[in-house]
Amino acid sequence: TDVVKIYAGLNHSMALKSDGTVWAWGRNQDGQLGDGSTTNRRTPVLVPGISDVLDLQPGSNHTLALKSDGTVWAWGRNNYGQLGDATTVSESTPKQITSLSNIIEIAAGGEFSLAVDTEGKVWGWGFNYYGQLGDGTSVPKNTPTVIDGLGKAYLVGAGGDFSVIADESGALDRKS
């Protein structure tokens, strides 16, 4: 009850309730449900340790959460650094990405993640083989890195292996 948004990742689903709590269900082999386990769930379970969530973004096998204070939290598979914590160790509970603040938009794709801050800077991290981070390389990043050469962004979207960014003029820029 009191669900305000629902989300679908590759293998898991999530719901955001009006009180800012997060509920998750589905496949959980990498801890992407955030409940502290790797047990698959057929019914929604509360994600403990996180509240005041404004938005969620489930990726392939990881999840991002944007809290009302502008911080970003991540959990699940981390084989390419998509959790942004400078490691490649998966997490089954929410963990704050301490290098990010004042974030207004998030996106999670196939093993990579994106964020936009209040200044319109786009941050990218994780898998980058196809150039989806937009930094001109194909090197994965395990910490958030500013993507240079973009206008002031306000929206980001992440697909399996590509990104879409809208700047303040409303123009779209596709990275893959």
Side-chain angles (χ1 to χ4, degrees):
T1 61
D2 298 320
V3 171
V4 294
K5 293 182 183 177
I6 56 172
Y7 306 86
L10 180 64
N11 293 307
H12 64 298
S13 300
M14 309 197 83
L16 178 61
K17 292 181 71 171
S18 61
D19 64 1
T21 59
V22 176
W23 295 75
W25 62 99
R27 194 167 178 189
N28 196 27
Q29 78 277 10
D30 295 299
Q32 63 264 44
L33 299 185
D35 68 348
S37 79
T38 55
T39 303
N40 296 337
R41 305 289 184 182
R42 293 178 184 257
T43 58
V45 293
L46 175 67
V47 178
I50 191 164
S51 59
D52 298 319
V53 173
L54 292 178
D55 196 16
L56 294 166
Q57 288 292 307
S60 291
N61 293 297
H62 75 292
T63 303
L64 298 178
L66 175 61
K67 290 183 58 168
S68 62
D69 63 2
T71 60
V72 178
W73 296 64
W75 59 93
R77 183 183 286 173
N78 197 28
N79 54 327
Y80 292 102
Q82 59 266 42
L83 300 186
D85 64 355
T87 76
T88 55
V89 177
S90 297
E91 295 285 341
S92 62
T93 58
K95 184 175 182 181
Q96 183 179 351
I97 303 174
T98 56
S99 60
L100 290 174
S101 61
N102 301 313
I103 300 300
I104 59 170
E105 179 80 12
I106 55 174
E111 315 297 349
F112 72 101
S113 304
L114 302 167
V116 178
D117 66 21
T118 54
E119 295 177 10
K121 292 185 216 165
V122 178
W123 299 77
W125 62 99
F127 189 63
N128 194 29
Y129 183 79
Y130 301 106
Q132 57 268 52
L133 297 184
D135 65 354
T137 75
S138 59
V139 178
K141 308 282 189 288
N142 64 10
T143 58
T145 304
V146 173
I147 302 170
D148 292 322
L150 299 173
K152 185 176 178 181
Y154 70 96
L155 291 173
V156 289
D161 291 319
F162 69 95
S163 302
V164 181
I165 301 160
D167 68 18
E168 63 187 344
S169 72
L172 292 176
D173 189 9
R174 183 170 186 253
K175 301 292 184 184
S176 66

